[in-house]
Amino acid sequence: MSAPYETAQPERSAVDAMPGTVMLDFGANWCGYCRAAEPLIDEALAGAQGAGGPVRHLKVEDGPGRPLGRSFRIKLWPTVVVLKDGQEVARVVRPVSADEVRVALAQAGAA
């Protein structure tokens, strides 16, 4: 089981400045969809490597008034946003398979 969604959030400018492959996982700890997708996301991340090393996975608690989620226009949970050097390259909303997440990671050059 992976870590819970974090209530403390980085600023959008800090996320945009992160080098390499970053996977933002927006959701909530009480969300049934998020709990169902958690093992799929973990499976896809197992051993994933970006150009600059391991993929950085940030689990971000989202909800009304949460600025990071609003800046990415998150509407449904979980939403996985894959960034490469601060630029969004892929997005998966409510993944139903690890392969969906792997394809998104592959778009950032992570395998």
Side-chain angles (χ1 to χ4, degrees):
M1 183 168 170
S2 63
Y5 287 95
E6 291 291 329
T7 56
Q9 301 182 2
E11 296 286 328
R12 174 66 189 256
S13 58
V15 171
D16 290 343
M18 291 179 181
T21 305
V22 177
M23 186 175 84
L24 299 171
D25 177 358
F26 291 95
N29 294 316
W30 52 263
C31 169
Y33 291 104
C34 301
R35 286 190 275 192
E38 184 177 53
L40 306 173
I41 293 167
D42 289 345
E43 180 183 335
L45 272 172
Q49 292 285 319
V55 173
R56 187 169 180 184
H57 180 206
L58 300 176
K59 290 185 76 167
V60 181
E61 185 175 272
D62 190 39
R66 299 288 179 139
L68 189 58
R70 302 298 60 79
S71 74
F72 280 98
R73 301 184 188 278
I74 302 303
K75 303 283 186 206
L76 295 172
W77 301 328
T79 294
V80 173
V81 177
V82 179
L83 307 173
K84 172 142 183 168
D85 297 325
Q87 299 296 313
E88 182 175 340
V89 295
R91 180 180 291 230
V92 180
V93 179
R94 291 191 175 168
V96 294
S97 74
D99 286 337
E100 282 182 286
V101 180
R102 281 190 198 102
V103 167
L105 288 168
Q107 290 181 24

